[in-house]
């Protein structure tokens, strides 16, 4: 059926389930653009930084967000957000739509966005976005804004809510670094732009509309961003709400392009979140402990470097997180890995710029040099999933002529083992909350989102 009908159908108020099926545009799934916070399209982009300085800033940001001190190597990171926020996506909220840029977090259980009620100004001014675009949602101008009572199911689906004086549902979220967001839980229509090029002959870009999404309408915000899209394994997260409201299922995937390729990555939902590339491996999710909140957790069984296998005495839980930069492992796993790598890689060693984070550095003019001497490294996860790692997943080009291992030990300050986003670069990573699995496959992620960054 002609895709040009999409707009008309949406105007008639027909929703999501009809949209992809009738238009044939989104093919049972959709993809949004995922932008790294340091890339040129991001409001946080600092053109004066070299790629290495951006890396270093990201690593420190990630480490600092875990509650430790936050050294600031180049004076560039004035807004430390948290350890878990590295990527943005656009959401359109309300009727008519307000387009907003929000941070994506696979460990957050709520979607919240900066809100204002008419002329009543928000408690803290939002940071100016690229292009000066409005970055606050004015609930008084939307016809689909829905209030939520404090005894209702949507209110109960959000952790830590309470009743305000008028018996509406209020929430307060605070983050490790002192950031916070509070306001009323409400419902709204959310519209997501599908990637361009998904359907030929479309006059408009296909969109996916989800009515009555429960979200936090944040009127008091101490946070360096306009909102968060939570994709956690929790009732109120976006992925659960899409699953409940549509036929797309509770699954999403992403493909993270190398950070300094300056191209966008893709965040996929529905059928497009199926990881079908050759060499895909699947591991079961395990119950996450309260220590890691709602993060997706799998089990590490072993790591192999060349023909050395390092096994832990017991299976060890590890979160898979796109917002953590380095990979954090138990010392008893990490130390033998470092030894095995040091034995195998014959390059001149270099002093570490921060020994507690980077235990193994080499003098090399880039990852290409390391690539030539890199021994095979394989991560074995629960269920026999063998994830083959490349040099770019294990090492980071940190400073001029310095390449360091992108794995750090779990410490009391940074207590959660995590597979970070360096390790996930150029992999299609799919989360299926119904099957309770995570699937990894090697992929060329620079091609995963079919357009250059479009922040216009
Ligand atoms: C927004 O402001 C109007 C006018 O002051 C008020 O009637 C309404 O209850 C407010 N809405 C919310 C959700 O606070
Ligand atoms: C594998 O292990 C043997 C010793 O058991 C060693 O001689 C050989 O060099 C190793 N091969 C590689 C590729 O590391």
């Amino acid at each position: 059926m002609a895709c040009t009908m999409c707009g008309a159908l949406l105007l008639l108020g027909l929703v999501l389930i009809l949209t992809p099926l009738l238009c044939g545009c989104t093919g049972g799934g959709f993809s949004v653009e995922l932008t790294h916070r340091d890339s040129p399209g991001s409001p946080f982009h600092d053109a004066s930084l070299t790629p290495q300085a951006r890396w270093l800033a990201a690593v420190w940001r990630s480490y600092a967000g875990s509650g430790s001190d936050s050294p600031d190597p180049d004076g560039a990171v004035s807004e430390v957000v948290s350890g878990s926020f590295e990527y943005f996506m656009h959401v359109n909220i309300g009727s008519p739509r307000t387009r907003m840029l929000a941070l994506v977090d696979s460990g957050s259980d709520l979607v919240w966005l900066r809100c204002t009620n008419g002329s009543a100004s928000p408690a803290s001014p939002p940071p100016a976005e690229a292009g000066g675009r409005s970055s606050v949602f004015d609930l008084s101008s939307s016809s689909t804004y829905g209030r939520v009572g404090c005894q209702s199911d949507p209110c109960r689906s959000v952790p830590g809510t309470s009743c305000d004086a008028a018996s509406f549902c209020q929430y307060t979220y605070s983050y490790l670094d002192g950031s916070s967001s509070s306001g009323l839980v409400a419902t709204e229509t959310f519209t997501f732009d599908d990637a361009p090029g998904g359907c030929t002959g479309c006059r408009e870009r296909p969109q996916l509309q989800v009515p009555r999404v429960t979200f936090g309408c944040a009127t008091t915000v101490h946070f360096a961003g306009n909102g968060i899209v939570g994709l956690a394994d929790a009732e109120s997260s976006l992925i659960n709400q899409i699953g409940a409201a549509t036929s797309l299922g509770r699954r999403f995937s992403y493909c993270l392009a190398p950070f300094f390729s300056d191209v966008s990555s893709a965040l996929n939902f529905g059928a497009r979140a199926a990881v079908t590339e050759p060499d895909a491996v699947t591991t079961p999710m395990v119950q996450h402990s309260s220590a890691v909140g709602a993060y997706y957790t799998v089990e590490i069984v072993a790591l192999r470097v060349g023909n050395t296998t390092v096994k832990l005495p017991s299976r060890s839980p590890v979160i898979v997180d796109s917002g953590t930069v380095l990979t954090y492992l138990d010392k008893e796993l990490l130390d033998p890995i470092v030894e095995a790598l040091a034995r195998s890689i014959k390059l001149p060693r270099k002093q570490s710029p921060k020994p507690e984070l980077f235990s193994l550095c080499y003098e090399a003019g880039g990852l290409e040099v390391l690539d030539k001497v890199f021994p095979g490294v394989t991560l074995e996860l629960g269920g026999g999933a063998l994830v083959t790692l490349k040099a770019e997943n294990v090492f980071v080009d940190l400073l001029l002529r310095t390449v360091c291992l992108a794995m750090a030990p779990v410490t009391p300050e940074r207590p959660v083992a995590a597979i970070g986003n360096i390790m996930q670069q150029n992999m299609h990573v799919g989360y299926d909350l119904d099957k309770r699995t995570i699937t990894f496959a090697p992929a060329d992620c620079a091609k995963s989102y079919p357009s250059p960054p479009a922040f216009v």
Side-chain angles (χ1 to χ4, degrees):
M1 192 166 294
C3 294
T4 46
M5 283 184 66
C6 297
L9 288 171
L10 290 176
L11 284 178
L12 287 171
L14 296 177
V15 295
L16 171 72
I17 300 168
L18 293 177
T19 310
L21 292 181
L22 284 181
C23 300
C25 299
T26 55
F30 70 104
S31 306
V32 301
E33 184 176 10
L34 206 53
T35 305
H36 191 260
R37 55 173 287 148
D38 291 330
S39 72
S42 157
F44 291 99
H45 178 64
D46 182 344
S48 71
L49 292 183
T50 62
Q52 287 83 5
R54 286 194 238 157
W55 259 127
L56 212 52
V59 168
W60 260 295
R61 194 162 58 230
S62 172
Y63 188 65
S66 62
S68 74
D69 64 331
S70 51
D72 193 352
D74 45 30
V77 194
S78 53
E79 291 163 324
V80 172
V81 178
S82 159
S84 300
F85 308 113
E86 288 287 310
Y87 290 91
F88 289 102
M89 67 178 269
H90 272 116
V91 296
N92 301 289
I93 176 171
S95 313
R97 296 165 196 163
T98 300
R99 191 163 191 250
M100 294 180 72
L101 200 54
L103 290 149
V104 176
D105 182 20
S106 56
S108 284
D109 50 23
L110 181 66
V111 179
W112 68 258
L113 293 166
R114 269 179 206 269
C115 279
T116 180
N117 183 6
S119 56
S121 57
S124 45
E129 254 186 47
R133 185 178 296 281
S134 155
S135 43
V136 181
F137 166 61
D138 181 359
L139 64 93
S140 72
S141 69
S142 173
S143 62
T144 43
Y145 180 86
R147 290 163 174 261
V148 165
C150 65
Q151 303 296 340
S152 66
D153 285 343
C155 190
R156 274 191 281 268
S157 75
V158 179
T161 48
S162 59
C163 293
D164 75 357
S167 290
F168 290 116
C169 179
Q170 62 185 7
Y171 81 96
T172 299
Y173 272 40
S174 26
Y175 299 91
L176 270 179
D177 64 354
S179 303
S180 65
S181 159
S182 60
L184 291 181
V185 172
T187 61
E188 254 301 0
T189 296
F190 278 67
T191 308
F192 302 96
D193 299 321
D194 190 15
C199 96
T200 44
C202 286
R203 282 201 204 128
E204 281 175 38
R205 197 158 151 177
Q207 287 177 325
L208 191 110
Q209 200 170 62
V210 189
R212 290 179 298 281
V213 172
T214 301
F215 78 110
C217 194
T219 44
T220 306
V221 180
H222 300 283
F223 184 78
N226 295 318
I228 287 181
V229 174
L231 291 176
D233 184 10
E235 194 182 349
S236 53
S237 80
L238 181 67
I239 192 63
N240 257 306
Q241 295 201 58
I242 286 181
T246 75
S247 57
L248 295 180
R250 300 189 308 151
R251 52 187 169 164
F252 68 95
S253 72
Y254 52 69
C255 197
L256 304 179
F259 298 163
F260 301 108
S261 59
D262 283 346
V263 298
S264 292
S265 305
L267 175 63
N268 310 296
F269 296 88
R272 285 199 218 154
V275 178
T276 54
E277 287 88 347
D279 301 326
V281 296
T282 296
T283 190
M285 291 177 188
V286 298
Q287 199 62 41
H288 45 68
S289 71
S290 55
V292 301
Y295 278 96
Y296 294 98
T297 309
V298 299
E299 281 179 330
I300 279 197
V301 176
L303 253 163
R304 296 178 194 167
V305 177
N307 58 12
T308 306
T309 298
V310 184
K311 251 190 153 73
L312 281 169
S314 59
R315 291 175 162 220
S316 164
V318 61
I319 66 167
V320 184
D321 181 26
S322 63
T324 299
V325 179
L326 300 179
T327 287
Y328 291 87
L329 298 174
D330 289 334
K331 232 173 131 37
E332 54 182 337
L333 183 57
L334 184 64
D335 288 348
I337 294 301
V338 171
E339 268 173 46
L341 285 167
R343 265 201 312 275
S344 161
I345 297 174
K346 308 277 187 257
L347 285 175
R349 292 281 288 269
K350 200 145 182 210
Q351 196 182 343
S352 170
K354 191 165 171 63
E356 37 319 5
L357 280 180
F358 303 108
S359 48
L360 183 64
C361 297
Y362 291 101
E363 179 166 351
L367 282 175
E368 315 80 65
V369 176
L370 200 80
D371 231 353
K372 298 198 178 76
V373 295
F374 186 68
V377 175
T378 307
L379 177 66
E380 183 180 346
L381 300 174
L386 297 175
V387 182
T388 304
L389 302 174
K390 301 194 183 92
E392 66 177 347
N393 302 123
V394 175
F395 283 89
V396 52
D397 188 1
L398 202 59
L399 297 165
L400 224 49
R401 303 199 54 80
T402 305
V403 172
C404 295
L405 182 66
M407 298 183 192
V410 165
T411 60
E413 296 77 40
R414 213 307 169 190
V416 177
I419 295 175
N421 58 25
I422 292 175
M423 193 168 277
Q424 298 177 60
Q425 284 182 96
N426 277 335
M427 280 190 209
H428 188 193
V429 183
Y431 298 70
D432 191 321
L433 280 68
D434 294 318
K435 292 190 185 137
R436 311 237 32 102
T437 57
I438 300 183
T439 301
F440 300 84
D444 182 359
C445 295
K447 298 199 180 94
S448 70
Y449 191 83
S451 79
F455 277 82
V456 285

